[in-house]
Amino acid sequence: MQVCEHETGHRIGAIRNLRWADIDFEGREVRWRAEHEKTGYEHVTPMTDEAVAVLEEAREANPGSGETLILPASKDPSASIGRGRTGAWWRKAERLAGLEPKARRGWHSLRRKFASDLMDLPLKVLCELGGWKEAQTVLRCYQQADSVQLRKALDSRPRVRA
């Protein structure tokens, strides 16, 4: 599910609670229900090819429709997969990638990466894609400029000739 969070910019809690009825494969959109969004903001976003592929793979592993959870708990299919299980997935992904565990790097770091990767988009568009209600939240907590972006900004500045 790392791909799903990376491609949508949404919190793992919202992803854990997705149901097949929320996925429109034909329209390539996902509906994010208010009750599973920290901000209570229900919205619909388009899906990338990568997100569609991961969800199609999940559908093969867990066929269902309607209100069936995409990621059900193994012992109770009416409940979503737990935080402990998704935490284990993160730690396994770190090991497979050869990364040392690092403080503050986890599922939410993909949300910060999403906001930073799409920094060139109009802020209104980024907020809609990632489900942020307040643009200030993106600016204050999520977007992090890197040296490449800083250099690009300086290089694009009009030059004054002496």
Side-chain angles (χ1 to χ4, degrees), residues 77-95:
S78 67
S80 67
I81 195 163
R83 286 181 175 186
R85 187 77 183 123
T86 57
W89 287 351
W90 181 268
R91 290 184 297 280
K92 181 179 180 182
E94 275 184 326
R95 275 194 316 278

Side-chain angles (χ1 to χ4, degrees), residues 17-112:
N17 285 288
L18 283 173
R19 298 173 184 277
W20 289 117
D22 299 325
I23 307 302
D24 177 0
F25 284 103
E26 193 171 304
R28 299 173 54 88
E29 294 180 329
V30 60
R31 174 181 60 151
W32 302 98
R33 297 180 189 210
E35 64 265 28
H36 303 301
E37 285 288 318
K38 180 179 175 181
T39 59
Y41 177 50
E42 183 153 328
H43 56 288
V44 174
T45 61
M47 292 188 289
T48 64
D49 292 342
E50 293 83 0
V52 170
V54 165
L55 289 167
E56 285 174 341
E57 188 178 313
R59 185 168 54 177
E60 287 177 22
N62 177 31
S65 61
E67 295 302 308
T68 304
L69 285 158
I70 293 172
L71 296 170
S74 57
K75 293 182 181 175
D76 180 4
S78 67
S80 67
I81 195 163
R83 286 181 175 186
R85 187 77 183 123
T86 57
W89 287 351
W90 181 268
R91 290 184 297 280
K92 181 179 180 182
E94 275 184 326
R95 275 194 316 278
L96 291 173
L99 299 173
E100 289 293 323
K102 184 177 177 183
R104 297 186 47 90
R105 182 175 59 208
W107 290 104
H108 213 67
S109 65
L110 294 177
R111 190 158 162 80
R112 287 188 294 276

